[in-house]
């Protein structure tokens, strides 16, 4: 008898940041590389980066802590072994991002625009996110843990080994996505659009019962 495929969990190692040098957030400049630095707000200017336009920043072994990133543009950013801790934003523009070994934790973001991005080994933990736009992105080894997400747009995205432990998702847009080893069992799902594109995802029996009407509607099934 052939063996059943075993669901693969996200492979995300703990991020260890040591011996970081404190730096002024205003030193974050577009198209510059920054390494082993910790950026935190000062008492004089807690919103130093709010509204800043700093495309193509390159962060390696850095931490951004407690910053207000409202209307900040970090499009085409490159992050390696970097943590965003306790950041807030009404809107954060980060489309075209290339993030590897990144943590986003205990943060509150109204909307984060990260469409057409590449995420590899990324952990989002304890975050409240209004709208996450990952349309057309490539996700490999991504763990959402204890997050509340108003709307998650994975339309046209490719996702492999992605989990949602202890999460609440108001609306999941899955149209034309390609999924492999995506574990939705830990998520409380309210509404799913593009449900026929969930091939490659794993759901619980209880979730399947809840999703059945939407699945029948999308497939044009009559239930009498």
């Amino acid at each position: 008898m052939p063996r059943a495929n075993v669901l693969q969990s996200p492979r995300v190692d703990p991020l260890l940041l040591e011996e970081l040098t404190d730096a002024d957030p205003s030193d974050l400049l577009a198209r510059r590389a920054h390494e082993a630095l910790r950026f935190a707000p000062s008492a004089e200017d807690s919103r130093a980066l709010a509204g800043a336009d700093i495309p193509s920043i390159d962060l390696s072994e850095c931490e951004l802590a407690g910053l207000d990133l409202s209307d900040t543009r970090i499009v085409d950013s490159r992050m390696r072994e970097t943590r965003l801790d306790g950041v807030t934003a009404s809107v954060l523009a980060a489309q075209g991002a290339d993030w590897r070994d990144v943590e986003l934790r205990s943060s509150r973001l109204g909307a984060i625009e990260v469409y057409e991005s590449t995420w590899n080994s990324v952990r989002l933990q304890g975050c409240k996110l209004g709208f996450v736009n990952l349309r057309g992105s490539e996700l490999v080894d991504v763990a959402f843990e204890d997050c509340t997400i108003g709307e998650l747009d994975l339309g046209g995205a490719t996702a492999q080994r992605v989990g949602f432990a202890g999460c609440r998702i108001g609306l999941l847009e899955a149209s034309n996505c390609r999924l492999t080893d995506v574990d939705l069992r830990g998520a409380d799902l309210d509404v799913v659009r593009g449900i026929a594109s969930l091939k490659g995802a794993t759901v619980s029996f209880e979730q399947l019962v809840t999703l059945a009407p939407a699945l029948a509607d999308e497939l044009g099934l009559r239930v009498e």
Side-chain angles (χ1 to χ4, degrees), residues 149-183:
I149 306 171
E151 181 176 348
L152 175 60
D153 189 347
L154 295 178
T158 300
Q160 180 178 7
R161 293 189 300 276
V162 178
F164 297 88
C167 292
R168 173 74 181 270
I169 303 174
L171 170 62
L172 172 61
E173 172 61 70
S175 299
N176 301 313
C177 64
R178 296 167 298 283
L179 310 180
T180 305
D181 290 320
V182 172
D183 192 351

Side-chain angles (χ1 to χ4, degrees), residues 36-89:
L37 298 174
R38 181 178 186 272
F39 298 94
S42 66
E44 293 77 18
D45 189 2
S46 61
R47 304 183 73 249
L49 289 181
D53 187 7
I54 42 178
S56 302
I57 59 172
D58 188 332
L59 302 177
S60 177
E61 297 181 70
C62 289
E63 181 176 54
L64 281 68
L67 291 169
D68 184 347
L69 301 178
S70 292
D71 300 315
T72 301
R73 298 184 74 255
I74 53 171
V75 300
D76 300 321
S77 59
R78 182 180 184 273
M79 296 191 192
R80 298 290 185 271
E81 297 181 71
T82 290
R83 176 183 296 129
L84 289 80
D85 190 2
V87 301
T88 59

Side-chain angles (χ1 to χ4, degrees), residues 24 29 32 74 81 98 101 108 178 223:
D24 194 310
L29 301 176
R32 297 288 183 86
I74 53 171
E81 297 181 71
D98 180 5
D101 298 315
R108 302 292 181 265
R178 296 167 298 283
V223 180

